Amino acid sequence: MVLSSRPALLSFLLAAGPALAALYTDPSQLPKKTYDYIVIGSGAGGGTVAARLSELSNINVLLIEAGGNVDGVLGTEIPFFAPNQIGTALDWNFTTTAQAGLDGRSILYSRGFGLGGSTSISESHHPPFSDFMVHNRASQDDWNRFAKVTGDSGWSWNSLQSYFKKMEKLVAPADNHNTQGEITPSIHGTSGPVDVSLPGFPLVTDSKVIGATADLPTQFPFNQDMNSGNTIGIGWVQFTIGGGQRASSYTSYIKPALSRTNFDVLINTQATKLISTGTQSGTPVFRGVQFATSATATKYVLNATREVIVSAGAVKTPQLLKLSGIGPSAELSKYGITTIVNNANVGANLQDHPLLSSQYSVNTTAQATFDAISQNATFAGDLVAQWESSHTGELVLGPANQLGWLRLPSTSSIFTTTTDPSAGPTSGHYELIFTDGFVSFAGITAPSTGNFFSLFTNVVSPSSRGTVTLKSSSPFDSPVIDPGLLNSDFDIFTMVAAIKSGQQFLAAKSFSGFILEPVGEYANAITDAQLEAYARKFSTTVWHPTSTASMTSTSSSAGVLNPDLTVKGTIGLRVVDASAFPFVPAAHPQTAVYVLAERAADLIKATCNC
Ligand SMILES: Cc1cc2nc3c(=O)[nH]c(=O)nc-3n(C[C@H](O)[C@H](O)[C@H](O)COP(=O)(O)OP(=O)(O)OC[C@H]3O[C@@H](n4cnc5c(N)ncnc54)[C@H](O)[C@@H]3O)c2cc1C
Ligand SMILES: *[C@@H]1O[C@H](CO)[C@@H](O)[C@H](O)[C@H]1NC(C)=O
Ligand SMILES: *[C@@H]1O[C@H](CO)[C@@H](O)[C@H](O)[C@H]1NC(C)=O
Ligand SMILES: *[C@@H]1O[C@H](CO)[C@@H](O)[C@H](O)[C@H]1NC(C)=O
Ligand SMILES: *[C@@H]1O[C@H](CO)[C@@H](O)[C@H](O)[C@H]1NC(C)=O
């Protein structure tokens, strides 16, 4: 499928210079014997917190990343349209268990492996070749619910305002077009590390999508800025892109900090165990980290004098905690692991967004951009040349210029049997994404001719819950991942409702003469029962796992973390990544993770006396 080509093309485009000197590729090279902080994982959570802590020149920070240097890895890859897929050297290549909600299918469960974590693979810049790069703060209700369940008002929407701005640098789109009416600049930061911009190339679908919000304003209101706290409505996508290039936690936070002598980054190395270094008033202290480059390589141990911070992401963080004796004792004892902190919540409460993409043929004389790129290698080559010379053209785009967040009507029949799982009226139940071209994540090959339009329907306030459990006692084995996609009546109801809502949107006057007909098995899905069967057969994931080590109030025994992200029942140990959210935000979550990590860095700085 088309998506497969993205990482390869990205690699080609970013074929980059030599590895930076401050990166260590083997534990034996590390120059120091002790560090104040050891951070595990370099994604949106770990890259951010490690770089921010390294601003304190009197403390030493070690960042350990399992994957490699993305500059180097990308430089070795070959261009276009590699027939094969998401599974690149930058991917952990996880798969899920057989998903009951998906007709028993196991699906690929990509997670970033390399500097920048999933923000590196989530942020390449080519429509069909990359992933989303979408910049969402989530809604005020999402954050206010976090504040409520943790009892910490510091997680509320209002309290976090300075952090939303602190991480952002709003820049002009690559084509420098006038963005009046497409964003509200005053609510954005202009001097943070992460570049943010609007789409930098116009598409034939832009006026149709925006026109449809004017045709059907009650059902599909235009939202000028979804990062205002109220996400509801349809509008322009903000991306973590600047100057036509992706921004990741690597490019934004880690790379600029590499020149600091108090910041060491060790790549190609996995943390294999957190080691309890003693007890304090009976509470276990976890300041040791064991790590190795492979299952058979030498194991190293270092102690952090202050804290160990786990930022391995929602899949690997619960695995590492469990391997270290923090988890459900029944599960740990099955693998011969001694329980140090018995907590049934580790690896429970996994939440994710199911994604379905449905395609239509369209009537256009102008080549629909995304299709032309995958169908015509000459055209694609011209675009690569253009991108290389000026960072302009179609290749600066994410996969859609507009998307929207919508709610089921409160009179919806599902609410007679189910409590609304969403955080509140500013959070969507589902998301619609409008893509100018054929994009499938379900293994459907893009046609070699013709012009298409893809409607993505994502369930963004799901009630399904899943788990991450151990497969073995080896840190080098993948854990067992069961995201429970479409596993509840609410989730499948919402997916079907989202498709029907998308169909109503595409029936707006603005689209007339453009949308021709649904293609593939979608064309035969008419009744609700048929739409449900179609959704179960073709849905995958938006790659948004969260909540496997969720924070709750300090007094609560539910959850894994305290509101300051310290691990309950331990000393010296914190988790700073997507695992910490008690609920998956109704949003693409990278920005929420950046913001969580920005505040985490300040919480640590405020109490460390350093
Ligand atoms: C294909 C894809 C597309 C996405 N698109 C978007 C998008 O458009 N917008 C958006 O907002 N979000 C998107 N996301 C989600 C977003 O990337 C994640 O929510 C976010 O990166 C999570 O941050 P994190 O720090 O929790 O984990 P990650 O960013 O996944 O980082 C975890 C890091 O830890 C490392 N690691 C794991 N275990 C160990 C270990 N034992 N030792 C050392 N290192 C370890 C991993 O290699 C990785 O680098 C996408 C994700 C994927 C996979
Ligand atoms: C994922 O699969 C690709 C392609 O087979 C491979 O190159 C890469 O090393 C794999 N990733 C990991 C972490 O093993
Ligand atoms: C780490 O701390 C433990 C407990 O204090 C100690 O036994 C061990 O030797 C230390 N390891 C290193 C590498 O300093
Ligand atoms: C492919 O793209 C090239 C360069 O833009 C163009 O000249 C050519 O006509 C295109 N071919 C087809 C079949 O559209
Ligand atoms: C296709 O578009 C053209 C030009 O806009 C229009 O005249 C024609 O009626 C459309 N065809 C269909 C089948 O809608």
Side-chain angles (χ1 to χ4, degrees):
M1 75 194 185
V2 178
L3 176 73
S4 50
S5 329
R6 296 181 190 188
L9 179 58
L10 171 69
S11 312
F12 176 73
L13 289 169
L14 294 187
L20 288 136
L23 292 179
Y24 300 97
T25 53
D26 190 273
S28 62
Q29 301 163 351
L30 284 179
K32 300 186 184 76
K33 291 272 173 285
T34 61
Y35 290 88
D36 294 279
Y37 294 95
I38 301 177
V39 180
I40 298 163
S42 68
T48 303
V49 78
R52 286 295 187 197
L53 290 174
S54 75
E55 291 170 345
L56 302 171
S57 57
N58 56 332
I59 61 132
N60 295 316
V61 178
L62 173 63
L63 176 60
I64 302 177
E65 167 56 46
N69 176 4
V70 290
D71 292 329
V73 172
L74 292 170
T76 63
E77 297 249 349
I78 324 283
F80 307 112
F81 315 157
N84 236 344
Q85 228 22 300
I86 271 192
T88 69
L90 287 180
D91 193 341
W92 282 91
N93 306 321
F94 296 134
T95 53
T96 67
T97 58
Q99 295 293 287
L102 305 181
D103 286 348
R105 285 179 297 132
S106 292
I107 60 165
L108 288 175
Y109 212 64
S110 283
R111 303 312 304 153
F113 178 79
L115 285 173
S118 298
T119 69
S120 284
I121 62 168
S122 71
E123 321 240 347
S124 49
H125 15 233
H126 317 286
F129 319 105
S130 80
D131 307 299
F132 291 31
M133 280 169 296
V134 175
H135 172 64
N136 292 152
R137 292 171 172 177
S139 77
Q140 63 188 62
D141 287 315
D142 284 320
W143 288 102
N144 291 342
R145 180 160 64 169
F146 297 162
K148 195 169 159 212
V149 302
T150 60
D152 176 356
S153 64
W155 293 118
S156 71
W157 174 261
N158 285 340
S159 302
L160 291 167
Q161 285 307 307
S162 61
Y163 293 109
F164 291 132
K165 288 192 172 179
K166 185 179 185 184
M167 52 89 50
E168 285 181 323
K169 181 178 185 183
L170 182 64
V171 297
D175 61 0
N176 270 306
H177 75 269
N178 181 350
T179 60
Q180 176 94 41
E182 300 176 356
I183 187 170
T184 307
S186 61
I187 65 171
H188 292 279
T190 52
S191 54
V194 184
D195 285 349
V196 170
S197 61
L198 285 165
F201 191 85
L203 297 174
V204 290
T205 44
D206 291 344
S207 60
K208 302 183 196 305
V209 175
I210 300 303
T213 65
D215 295 339
L216 303 168
T218 311
Q219 202 180 348
F220 303 101
F222 177 69
N223 187 338
Q224 177 167 304
D225 198 319
M226 301 166 186
N227 284 330
S228 68
N230 179 15
T231 63
I232 302 303
I234 287 167
W236 295 85
V237 189
Q238 297 170 22
F239 289 107
T240 47
I241 298 179
Q245 300 190 71
R246 77 193 161 115
S248 67
S249 68
Y250 171 60
T251 62
S252 306
Y253 287 95
I254 300 170
K255 202 169 178 176
L258 282 176
S259 57
R260 295 177 186 149
T261 54
N262 63 326
F263 185 39
D264 290 338
V265 179
L266 174 61
I267 58 174
N268 302 331
T269 304
Q270 260 201 70
T272 48
K273 195 178 178 186
L274 310 168
I275 296 179
S276 175
T277 47
T279 59
Q280 215 171 292
S281 312
T283 303
V285 179
F286 277 88
R287 291 207 174 97
V289 181
Q290 182 194 66
F291 47 96
T293 55
S294 72
T296 51
T298 310
K299 290 195 165 58
Y300 291 76
V301 176
L302 279 180
N303 293 335
T305 52
R306 293 174 184 275
E307 280 187 23
V308 173
I309 297 167
V310 182
S311 303
V315 171
K316 293 291 281 185
T317 285
Q319 181 191 23
L320 184 60
L321 292 175
K322 287 179 179 184
L323 292 172
S324 311
I326 304 169
S329 59
E331 182 186 346
L332 304 194
S333 60
K334 265 202 318 215
Y335 301 100
I337 300 164
T338 305
T339 300
I340 302 174
V341 179
N342 181 14
N343 186 337
N345 305 303
V346 179
N349 200 37
L350 172 60
Q351 297 172 44
D352 195 6
H353 295 152
L355 170 153
L356 176 65
S357 134
S358 304
Q359 294 80 30
Y360 295 84
S361 57
V362 297
N363 173 22
T364 178
T365 45
Q367 271 186 318
T369 304
F370 294 2
D371 293 313
I373 294 171
S374 61
Q375 291 168 0
N376 182 341
T378 312
F379 179 60
D382 291 349
L383 292 183
V384 171
Q386 179 182 359
W387 188 88
E388 285 188 310
S389 69
S390 63
H391 289 183
T392 60
E394 285 92 324
L395 297 188
V396 305
L397 291 176
N401 282 4
Q402 295 84 25
L403 57 73
W405 310 90
L406 296 160
R407 290 180 64 78
L408 300 171
S410 55
T411 52
S412 199
S413 61
I414 192 71
F415 294 128
T416 60
T417 53
T418 307
T419 314
D420 182 353
S422 78
T426 61
S427 289
H429 291 121
Y430 60 91
E431 177 187 16
L432 303 179
I433 303 179
F434 310 105
T435 291
D436 177 25
F438 191 106
V439 178
S440 166
F441 296 93
I444 303 170
T445 309
S448 55
T449 59
N451 291 310
F452 300 91
F453 180 92
S454 298
L455 168 70
F456 289 80
T457 47
N458 303 333
V459 177
V460 296
S461 294
S463 68
S464 301
R465 297 292 182 261
T467 54
V468 173
T469 51
L470 294 177
K471 187 184 292 168
S472 76
S473 61
S474 168
F476 291 92
D477 278 351
S478 298
V480 178
I481 306 167
D482 177 8
L485 293 165
L486 294 180
N487 242 0
S488 69
D489 292 345
F490 177 83
D491 293 2
I492 188 66
F493 178 93
T494 304
M495 182 60 93
V496 170
I499 305 169
K500 293 197 283 190
S501 166
Q503 291 170 345
Q504 286 159 8
F505 187 72
L506 298 181
K509 200 166 81 241
S510 295
F511 283 102
S512 65
F514 179 71
I515 300 286
L516 295 177
E517 53 191 13
V519 300
E521 292 192 31
Y522 181 42
N524 305 322
I526 314 293
T527 65
D528 282 9
Q530 288 166 339
L531 286 169
E532 174 176 336
Y534 163 74
R536 293 199 187 283
K537 186 165 178 187
F538 292 105
S539 293
T540 57
T541 170
V542 203
W543 309 283
H544 294 168
T546 66
S547 311
T548 48
S550 63
M551 53 177 172
T552 54
S553 69
T554 310
S555 59
S556 173
S557 60
V560 178
L561 309 179
N562 294 311
D564 63 359
L565 307 175
T566 53
V567 177
K568 288 175 191 282
T570 70
I571 289 171
L573 186 61
R574 254 180 246 251
V575 171
V576 181
D577 64 23
S579 321
F581 296 126
F583 298 89
V584 63
H588 296 255
Q590 63 163 344
T591 298
V593 182
Y594 282 129
V595 167
L596 175 103
E598 285 278 14
R599 178 166 187 243
D602 276 0
L603 289 172
I604 295 167
K605 287 176 178 180
T607 54
C608 76
N609 291 321
C610 51

